[in-house]
Amino acid sequence: MTKAVGQIKQMTCTEATEAEAIEKPGVENVAEGEKRKADACTLPLRNKYSLRGFMRYLQGNPWDVAASIFFLLLGYELKMFGDSYSIDTEAMMQAQGSLYQSWIELERFGLLYLKKALGLYWYNNAVASFLSAVCLLAAALLWAYLLAEVNNLRGRMHPAFFAVPFVTSPVLAEMVGFTLTGPEIGMALGLVATSLMMLLNCMAYRKWWLGILSLFVAAAGFTLYLAMVTVFVAGFAMVFLMLFWDAHHEYKLGRRIGFIAVGAVAFVMSYLLYVACNAAALAMHHTTTNPYISEQSRWGKDSTSSIIQTIRDHAQSLYSGEGIYYAGIFSVLLVLFVATMLVAVIRRHTDVLALLVALCLCASPMMMSLILGSKPSVRTELSYPLMLAFVVAFLAVQVFGIFDRKRTVKTVAALLVLALGWSQGLIVNRIFYTESINHQQDMELAQDIRTRIDDLGITDQSKKTLVFLNYHKSACNKDCYTSDQLGLVGRSLFEVTVSPKQGTFVKTNFLNITGTNFQQASEKQLERAEKIGESMPHWPARGSVIQKGDLVIVKF
């Protein structure tokens, strides 16, 4: 790693300036050297990543920041200032101990520790919803700064080019819509971007402590949500492309491969650090990894042909823009992106290595599918919104560079970016509108169920166990998304039923946060309730809510 960094650092901007000055002494020649330095230096050596630099970047683009905030509010206003519950928040309020313990078992121990450190251990729906959106915006601006500064593109790489398509991504809405972890997901995205900045500062200025710190920061992001490993890999590839795609003549192939080697070593070391910390957390809490983690991977369990077919079907769905989470324009943008790279190769502005990295980036949204050998949950495909935002920003920068003096073309390009944000923002808003309507109907249904239970004359609910059989769909209006269009965010909590045990767990917790005090059902109680429920009518018929011994059964 040291040797590779040394290759990259072989000639710094300062050294280039001194060489110019020595070659032609004099004040004028020094100034000329500075000019040549500015023209030749494409490595991030002139402007060190810093908090001050980040603030200057934002201050220099106030309208971009305003546009980013506008589109964030377009998508998340209902979520930020509403009070609808998302999946698992009812468990966080009613069964904190078991939920937080499950995070340790799911190898997300960083989530638990961060909750405690920030005073968010006691769940507050309003605070979590607000912070989810704010942290997402902060992460988007950090990534925009990372990409702008890496090749000194402050003048052309406007924050809105990246932030607008990023914050309005429906995939991220599905992710941060889980408000029990929403704020921390935004923080994790920001940690990965910060880690890459530290790594670049390390390579540029030979401050090894920054390199070590970058490993810890990346590992911290992984502990919050392990899918951040795909964000790190894709992010480093994006940095490489922005840095070298039009500068291969100045930096030989060996030095560019050395740059990739540094990134690969940094990733492996940060991941191993995460693994070691995770093992320590599991031992400290006297638990083991939940089988849910290993069961997600289908490699070695399903046939290779079946896995390949699943991956191919998912790729077709993702790149064709199927459903509400994937943008149909994405594949068009990828074609333009690859075409731009091909033209650059033909004109010798870049080489085949940069083209290969670009092609790998085009495939990066499929990383989770390739890792698991199955169709992943939409919310885990974090490299998709990252790649979409990157391609939009990359192409916008090229348009602004090529048509620097043609304001009309630049205006059209900017409007197209905003149009994408508008389209995605409306989808995100509609997802949370659907969630809000479902929440309203869930509360009404919960009240109806409580009234039925009160009619049973139960004096001490804490001694009774509540069991829900089947599920119940809300009767939403036509402006809402239907269940088959949604992931998990936006659904009625009375509809979420992966299994009788899980469905009863969610519904009982939800009913309890509205004022009841029932116990959760055991496996034996669930089996007994299912036998009793065979002769029960469906809700809302009379007899769909009954008491049998220690059980209160609701059959949908």
Side-chain angles (χ1 to χ4, degrees):
M1 182 173 179
T2 303
K3 184 177 180 181
V5 174
Q7 286 181 321
I8 294 170
K9 181 64 181 176
Q10 186 174 352
M11 177 176 285
T12 65
C13 292
T14 302
E15 292 169 343
T17 304
E18 292 173 353
E20 294 286 351
I22 292 172
E23 181 181 346
K24 297 181 180 180
V27 176
E28 293 181 359
N29 292 331
V30 170
E32 184 181 350
E34 288 285 353
K35 182 178 182 302
R36 291 184 183 179
K37 177 192 79 169
D39 293 337
C41 182
T42 55
L43 278 174
L45 303 176
R46 290 182 293 177
N47 299 309
K48 182 178 179 181
Y49 286 107
S50 64
L51 179 59
R52 180 177 296 179
F54 176 59
M55 297 307 297
R56 286 177 178 171
Y57 178 58
L58 298 184
Q59 290 170 3
N61 298 278
W63 288 108
D64 289 76
V65 175
S68 302
I69 294 173
F70 170 81
F71 283 99
L72 178 82
L73 291 173
L74 174 65
Y76 287 86
E77 182 270 336
L78 267 174
K79 192 67 176 176
M80 290 177 72
F81 306 112
D83 192 33
S84 57
Y85 296 101
S86 60
I87 183 69
D88 290 342
T89 54
E90 80 293 333
M92 180 171 278
M93 299 172 73
Q94 287 296 125
Q96 282 182 332
S98 61
L99 183 73
Y100 283 131
Q101 179 68 15
S102 71
W103 283 359
I104 302 296
E105 297 170 0
L106 293 173
E107 302 182 346
R108 302 172 190 170
F109 65 93
L111 276 173
L112 172 58
Y113 298 154
L114 187 59
K115 288 282 188 187
K116 290 184 175 181
L118 297 178
L120 299 176
Y121 184 85
W122 296 98
Y123 181 74
N124 182 316
N125 203 41
V127 171
S129 298
F130 177 76
L131 289 179
S132 294
V134 171
C135 291
L136 178 61
L137 176 63
L141 295 175
L142 279 171
W143 277 93
Y145 173 59
L146 166 67
L147 297 174
E149 197 73 357
V150 74
N151 205 7
N152 303 298
L153 292 172
R154 285 188 185 183
R156 286 185 289 161
M157 174 66 180
H158 292 272
F161 290 165
F162 184 93
V164 169
F166 190 74
V167 300
T168 58
S169 169
V171 172
L172 285 175
E174 175 71 8
M175 181 71 257
V176 303
F178 284 71
T179 46
L180 76 168
T181 60
E184 291 77 17
I185 293 300
M187 294 176 195
L189 289 167
L191 285 174
V192 174
T194 302
S195 172
L196 291 173
M197 293 180 203
M198 290 178 173
L199 185 61
L200 289 171
N201 278 347
C202 166
M203 288 189 281
Y205 299 98
R206 288 186 177 179
K207 293 185 177 180
W208 307 115
W209 64 272
L210 276 176
I212 295 172
L213 185 58
S214 74
L215 303 181
F216 281 92
V217 173
F222 300 163
T223 68
L224 297 179
Y225 200 71
L226 190 53
M228 291 299 158
V229 297
T230 62
V231 175
F232 185 98
V233 172
F236 188 83
M238 292 169 187
V239 166
F240 174 88
L241 203 59
M242 295 295 284
L243 189 61
F244 293 114
W245 89 280
D246 197 24
H248 70 291
H249 297 298
E250 291 87 348
Y251 302 98
K252 295 181 179 179
L253 180 63
R255 294 174 65 187
R256 285 177 282 135
I257 293 177
F259 183 88
I260 295 175
V262 171
V265 170
F267 170 72
V268 171
M269 291 178 67
S270 58
Y271 181 74
L272 291 177
L273 181 60
Y274 156 77
V275 171
C277 292
N278 180 63
L282 289 171
M284 187 169 63
H285 289 269
H286 308 290
T287 189
T288 56
T289 301
N290 193 302
Y292 171 79
I293 298 296
S294 57
E295 289 171 2
Q296 283 187 311
S297 176
R298 304 313 303 166
W299 293 105
K301 299 169 187 171
D302 299 340
S303 65
T304 303
S305 59
S306 174
I307 290 175
I308 292 175
Q309 181 63 44
T310 300
I311 293 174
R312 186 169 59 190
D313 291 344
H314 181 54
Q316 181 178 350
S317 159
L318 187 149
Y319 290 108
S320 66
E322 183 179 305
I324 65 174
Y325 295 101
Y326 307 124
I329 195 66
F330 182 55
S331 293
V332 176
L333 294 172
L334 290 183
V335 170
L336 293 174
F337 174 60
V338 173
T340 301
M341 296 303 301
L342 284 172
V343 170
V345 170
I346 294 172
R347 294 183 175 181
R348 297 185 179 182
H349 291 164
T350 192
D351 64 355
V352 176
L353 178 60
L355 178 61
L356 290 175
V357 172
L359 292 174
C360 289
L361 276 173
C362 292
S364 64
M366 290 294 297
M367 271 195 281
M368 285 303 299
S369 186
L370 293 172
I371 291 170
L372 299 176
S374 62
K375 180 180 178 180
S377 300
V378 171
R379 64 182 181 276
T380 66
E381 297 179 293
L382 297 175
S383 53
Y384 178 88
L386 190 71
M387 185 57 190
L388 173 61
F390 171 75
V391 171
V392 170
F394 182 89
L395 293 175
V397 167
Q398 302 314 311
V399 169
F400 271 54
I402 296 172
F403 302 98
D404 185 45
R405 296 185 179 181
K406 295 185 178 181
R407 181 171 295 181
T408 302
V409 177
K410 293 165 65 175
T411 300
V412 170
L415 289 175
L416 289 175
V417 173
L418 298 181
L420 175 61
W422 180 264
S423 174
Q424 291 194 141
L426 292 179
I427 293 173
V428 171
N429 185 284
R430 192 175 173 189
I431 289 173
F432 292 127
Y433 172 75
T434 304
E435 180 183 69
S436 178
I437 296 298
N438 273 321
H439 173 70
Q440 179 183 344
Q441 295 190 12
D442 282 353
M443 295 299 288
E444 293 172 355
L445 178 58
Q447 182 59 50
D448 290 342
I449 294 172
R450 287 176 58 188
T451 300
R452 292 283 195 95
I453 292 174
D454 290 341
D455 292 341
L456 298 175
I458 299 173
T459 56
D460 189 354
Q461 294 179 347
S462 65
K463 294 181 180 179
K464 302 296 180 180
T465 298
L466 183 60
V467 177
F468 286 89
L469 301 177
N470 301 329
Y471 61 90
H472 181 273
K473 286 187 176 182
S474 297
C476 291
N477 60 56
K478 294 183 179 180
D479 289 333
C480 297
Y481 283 122
T482 58
S483 297
D484 59 338
Q485 292 176 296
L486 295 167
L488 278 174
V489 173
R491 289 178 181 269
S492 163
L493 291 180
F494 286 107
E495 182 186 358
V496 177
T497 306
V498 177
S499 65
K501 182 179 180 180
Q502 186 267 352
T504 290
F505 179 78
V506 171
K507 297 175 183 69
T508 300
N509 281 327
F510 180 69
L511 207 67
N512 282 343
I513 65 176
T514 66
T516 60
N517 189 28
F518 289 102
Q519 297 295 317
Q520 286 286 353
S522 65
E523 293 283 358
K524 289 183 178 180
Q525 288 174 319
L526 283 168
E527 292 175 4
R528 185 154 54 96
E530 287 178 332
K531 290 180 180 179
I532 296 171
E534 290 176 358
S535 60
M536 292 174 59
H538 297 281
W539 175 273
R542 185 176 298 277
S544 58
V545 180
I546 65 171
Q547 178 187 355
K548 285 288 184 179
D550 61 336
L551 296 179
V552 175
I553 305 172
V554 180
K555 183 177 180 180
F556 287 130

